[in-house]
Amino acid sequence: MSEEIRASGIEVDGLPDFETAMEEIAEKFDASEKDAAEDKKDKSEKEKKQAEEIRNQSLERIGETKKRKVDEADESRDQNSLKSRRKQGNETIKKQRKT
């Protein structure tokens, strides 16, 4: 476009609609390529972290693995204990004896 402006010797006020639209499309295309590259980079980082975690687990000793599993079970038990627990039958008998 700059060559066309210099070659004609006449200053152009604005670009035709077609050229303006083409510039916008080119800018959007470049932006989408950058976004795709960033997404690919984020995905590869997540995969690396997951692979490192699996590698560390495979290198654990048996005792460490058992300890980790017990810790995870305790965490899940703590989360389950927050839920309402079902009352046992002996609690009902105790209440009736009081009354």
Side-chain angles (χ1 to χ4, degrees):
M1 283 189 283
S2 61
E3 290 178 15
E4 290 178 0
I5 293 172
R6 281 189 245 133
S8 67
I10 301 172
E11 188 173 325
V12 180
D13 292 334
L15 297 174
D17 292 337
F18 176 76
E19 290 181 6
T20 305
M22 291 301 290
E23 282 184 5
E24 289 177 13
I25 291 171
E27 289 173 2
K28 289 180 181 180
F29 183 74
D30 291 339
S32 68
E33 284 182 340
K34 288 179 184 177
D35 291 342
E38 289 175 6
D39 289 343
K40 186 176 180 181
K41 182 179 177 182
D42 291 341
K43 186 177 179 181
S44 66
E45 288 177 6
K46 288 179 184 178
E47 289 175 352
K48 285 180 183 179
K49 287 180 183 179
Q50 185 179 20
E52 184 177 340
E53 182 179 328
I54 291 170
R55 191 178 313 115
N56 288 337
Q57 288 178 2
S58 67
L59 294 175
E60 285 181 345
R61 293 185 179 154
I62 294 173
E64 293 172 344
T65 303
K66 288 180 182 178
K67 183 179 179 183
R68 180 176 46 84
K69 288 183 179 179
V70 168
D71 291 341
E72 290 174 357
D74 286 342
E75 288 177 10
S76 65
R77 203 174 306 127
D78 290 342
Q79 291 174 355
N80 291 337
S81 67
L82 297 176
K83 297 179 182 177
S84 62
R85 293 171 41 181
R86 186 174 178 181
K87 296 184 179 184
Q88 298 176 354
N90 61 1
E91 292 177 8
T92 307
I93 294 171
K94 289 178 185 177
K95 285 184 180 181
Q96 288 187 359
R97 285 185 184 168
K98 287 182 182 180
T99 57

